Amino acid sequence: GIQVEQSPPDLILQEGANSTLRCNFSDSVNNLQWFHQNPWGQLINLFYIPSGTKQNGRLSATTVATERYSLLYISSSQTTDSGVYFCLGGNEKLTFGTGTRLTIIP
Amino acid sequence: DSGVTQTPKHLITATGQRVTLRCSPRSGDLSVYWYQQSLDQGLQFLIQYYNGEERAKGNILERFSAQQFPDLHSELNLSSLELGDSALYFCASKALPVSYNSPLHFGNGTRLTVT
């Protein structure tokens, strides 16, 4: 099956900083999503983005399907952005990445 | 609110027991997916159904089974439970089969604790 790698595994930033999270796929995918898992364990859908670029407030995402990677940008980080960010993608089976744990320090 | 409902929210049981986790997909969604999130294994794909039929299988143990009923709700049955089965179990639904581009919508999960 498809392998999904996320980097970095951990990221600690000061409030107000910007960050870039990356997701690499071992093969091309038809479906790609980014999620934020909050402290209560809920998976919050951020973007469905199999290709192209999308923006939602301080968050944006870009997927370069031909090169099999996706990037999630968070600008002007807030403490509420803390948590684990996952990408999910695939074709027949949808596989989660290993996650990036983001900690925003006040 | 994703529209995907999972019950119960929490479940505490003993080793060797059997439990059933229930999932109601979003209205109109035909595909249901199950995932397991344990501390040491991350989020693992278990199984997928489309309109009542199994479509894909992941790392699902033989002690686990699932089905999707005619009303499209799904149940995940876990038997002969072991301590290592303690995890957060997510259900998700999708309007179209995997081969079509549409997002996956997740429920809030069932937290299973095996003591």
Side-chain angles (χ1 to χ4, degrees):
Chain A
I2 287 176
Q3 307 301 313
V4 185
E5 288 185 10
Q6 287 187 244
S7 61
D10 291 281
L11 192 54
I12 301 173
L13 297 171
Q14 207 76 31
E15 199 169 22
N18 301 329
S19 57
T20 301
L21 283 58
R22 186 178 177 109
C23 185
N24 288 333
F25 291 86
S26 60
D27 204 347
S28 59
V29 297
N30 289 332
N31 294 274
L32 198 158
Q33 280 178 268
W34 282 96
F35 292 90
H36 174 213
Q37 189 166 38
N38 64 21
W40 298 271
Q42 295 172 315
L43 287 167
I44 309 300
N45 180 50
L46 299 176
F47 294 102
Y48 176 74
I49 187 166
S51 64
T53 297
K54 289 186 178 180
Q55 179 155 9
N56 184 4
R58 296 181 296 104
L59 273 60
S60 64
T62 294
T63 296
V64 184
T66 53
E67 297 189 19
R68 305 194 301 270
Y69 73 88
S70 184
L71 302 173
L72 177 69
Y73 305 98
I74 305 174
S75 64
S76 305
S77 299
Q78 300 175 358
T79 55
T80 51
D81 294 331
S82 295
V84 185
Y85 290 79
F86 291 100
C87 58
L88 168 73
N91 301 304
E92 283 298 319
K93 296 180 187 178
L94 299 178
T95 302
F96 274 96
T98 48
T100 292
R101 181 173 298 278
L102 177 64
T103 303
I104 304 300
I105 301 171
Chain B
D1 183 8
S2 69
V4 179
T5 303
Q6 288 189 248
T7 56
K9 288 189 173 63
H10 302 276
L11 198 49
I12 302 174
T13 188
T15 54
Q17 296 298 305
R18 174 189 169 93
V19 297
T20 297
L21 312 184
R22 183 187 170 100
C23 170
S24 294
R26 289 189 327 155
S27 178
D29 283 1
L30 300 178
S31 290
V32 168
Y33 297 70
W34 286 97
Y35 287 83
Q36 177 194 54
Q37 185 177 29
S38 52
L39 280 175
D40 56 348
Q41 295 290 324
L43 278 152
Q44 300 286 318
F45 168 70
L46 295 179
I47 198 163
Q48 180 221 342
Y49 284 84
Y50 176 73
N51 203 19
E53 295 194 1
E54 183 184 306
R55 284 292 299 265
K57 222 172 202 181
N59 300 323
I60 187 166
L61 299 172
E62 285 193 11
R63 300 183 286 108
F64 296 1
S65 65
Q67 55 182 324
Q68 186 180 25
F69 294 86
D71 67 353
L72 301 177
H73 92 272
S74 178
E75 293 181 356
L76 179 66
N77 300 297
L78 315 177
S79 61
S80 302
L81 285 167
E82 302 174 0
L83 295 177
D85 298 326
S86 295
L88 191 50
Y89 291 84
F90 286 103
C91 168
S93 73
K94 189 177 173 53
L96 300 173
V98 151
S99 54
Y100 293 83
N101 293 356
S102 64
L104 209 52
H105 300 271
F106 280 82
N108 289 334
T110 292
R111 189 172 296 278
L112 173 67
T113 303
V114 182
T115 62

